[in-house]
Amino acid sequence: MVWGEGEAQQFAAFKLKPGTTPNTVEIDWLMAGPEQRKGIGSRAIKEIQTQAQALGVKLKLMPWDKGQVSQASLTRLYKRHGFKPIGKGARSMEWEPVNEIARIPNDYYPGGKESLP
């Protein structure tokens, strides 16, 4: 992904791979530049989530512990974007698409959500 032009150009690159469970994609790695802490990684995450939401796909990842950004900082970043640890004490994280029907109050439907097809 590329945003801007010339010296103001920003980019993000990432590798996705099929997950081990149906309707799941793993973010193998994500890199943003040229400078860190400018919101480029967040912008890329949001774009990936928008596409995953449209496809109804769950995202999984493991915050990397070998880059310039600490694993703890990456974990906080992903949490801000709705990723949650897969299990108690787990470092792997996942994000699930929002079920739009679940966001609508039950009293919006005369017969409740259970009456939906």
Side-chain angles (χ1 to χ4, degrees):
M1 293 178 211
V2 178
W3 300 279
E5 296 181 12
E7 290 190 30
Q9 192 172 57
Q10 301 172 327
F11 71 90
F14 53 89
K15 179 181 176 185
L16 304 177
K17 62 183 183 181
T20 55
T21 57
N23 297 323
T24 301
V25 171
E26 292 185 24
I27 301 173
D28 197 31
W29 54 264
L30 181 123
M31 172 179 78
E35 298 177 50
Q36 295 180 350
R37 304 193 194 292
K38 299 287 184 186
I40 305 162
S42 289
R43 191 172 183 181
I45 292 167
K46 288 176 188 175
E47 181 61 32
I48 294 168
Q49 287 174 318
T50 297
Q51 293 180 26
Q53 175 68 41
L55 297 169
V57 174
K58 183 188 295 187
L59 299 172
K60 290 188 176 185
L61 57 77
M62 167 69 119
W64 202 39
D65 62 352
K66 296 176 179 43
Q68 292 179 4
V69 180
S70 73
Q71 190 173 42
S73 293
L74 288 172
T75 299
R76 285 191 298 275
L77 170 71
Y78 294 130
K79 281 183 179 180
R80 283 195 309 270
H81 288 284
F83 283 83
K84 297 176 182 171
I86 291 177
K88 187 174 182 173
R91 294 191 182 203
S92 294
M93 302 177 83
E94 66 184 1
W95 172 89
E96 293 190 47
V98 176
N99 178 345
E100 294 300 323
I101 293 174
R103 294 172 60 168
I104 299 171
N106 219 12
D107 58 2
Y108 180 82
Y109 297 100
K113 291 180 192 172
E114 296 78 27
S115 66
L116 293 174

